[in-house]
């Protein structure tokens, strides 16, 4: 089997590293653990160390470890570092993607790695758009404060202002599965 130190220089390694990073960023369980600081203040560092370790495990040997070894690593790291017992099967899904990506990148097929990067970028953009939409629709409810002040002031104006303020909406982000079919 081809290694990452092949005739393409470091292209395989860089494509694979980007794919691993994207895959882990899309993994809902890991993202929730980092965002929720389940590993304490160092949660982001723990996730970065996990990524670095996976890249090292999958690139330094002449052939990548089997899927079950990657899956075990993911389960153990999530449990020991984030106190998170996963029962959703996601570590197996992520391990399958990472293993397949390693095998393909070794033969200079970057399709899966690039696909994962594209998915991660689209999800990031969608999340940013949802956040921006929420900020815009919630707006500043100063009109309500002005109406309250008007209610307490008698200026001889008998007109009913009728409630004010910008409409508010609540958006929730949805998680996306890390599974892809190739």
């Amino acid at each position: 089997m081809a290694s990452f130190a092949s005739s393409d220089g470091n292209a395989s390694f860089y494509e694979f590293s980007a794919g691993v990073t994207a895959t882990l960023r899309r993994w809902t369980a890991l993202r929730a653990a980092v965002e929720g600081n389940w590993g304490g203040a160092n949660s982001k560092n723990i996730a970065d160390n996990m990524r670095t370790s996976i890249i090292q495990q999958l690139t330094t040997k002449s052939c990548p470890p089997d899927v079950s070894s990657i899956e075990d690593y993911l389960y153990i790291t999530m449990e020991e570092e984030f106190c998170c017992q996963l029962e959703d099967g996601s570590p197996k899904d992520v391990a399958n993607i990472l293993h397949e990506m390693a095998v393909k990148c070794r033969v200079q097929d970057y399709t899966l790695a690039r696909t994962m990067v594209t998915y991660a970028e689209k999800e990031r953009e969608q999340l940013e758009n949802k956040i921006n939409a929420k900020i815009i629709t919630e707006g500043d409810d100063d009109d309500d404060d002005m109406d309250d002040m008007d209610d307490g002031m008698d200026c001889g104006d008998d007109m009913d202002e009728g409630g004010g303020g910008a409409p508010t909406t609540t958006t929730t982000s949805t998680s996306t599965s890390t599974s892809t079919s190739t």
Side-chain angles (χ1 to χ4, degrees), residues 19-125:
V20 169
T21 300
T23 301
L24 293 177
R25 285 187 178 155
R26 294 187 68 228
W27 186 17
T28 305
L30 180 59
R31 192 172 55 238
V34 171
E35 290 172 0
N37 286 323
W38 298 352
N42 291 325
S43 292
K44 186 173 181 182
N45 290 337
I46 293 168
D48 286 341
N49 290 339
M50 177 190 282
R51 180 185 59 83
T52 301
S53 179
I54 289 168
I55 291 169
Q56 185 177 24
Q57 289 176 38
L58 293 172
T59 60
T60 56
K61 297 181 181 176
S62 61
C63 119
D66 60 27
V67 173
S68 63
S69 296
I70 303 165
E71 179 184 0
D72 290 345
Y73 174 76
L74 296 173
Y75 271 115
I76 290 168
T77 303
M78 290 298 290
E79 185 170 349
E80 290 180 357
E81 299 294 337
F82 294 109
C83 300
C84 177
Q85 292 183 335
L86 299 173
E87 298 174 356
D88 65 349
S90 64
K92 184 175 186 172
D93 295 337
V94 172
N96 281 322
I97 292 168
L98 295 173
H99 185 269
E100 182 180 353
M101 191 183 310
V103 169
K104 287 184 175 189
C105 285
R106 285 171 185 268
V107 295
Q108 299 175 3
D109 177 357
Y110 310 125
T111 307
L112 180 57
R114 290 175 180 165
T115 298
M116 296 308 291
V117 169
T118 300
Y119 286 161
E121 288 172 352
K122 284 181 182 178
E123 288 173 6
R124 182 187 50 79
E125 288 172 10

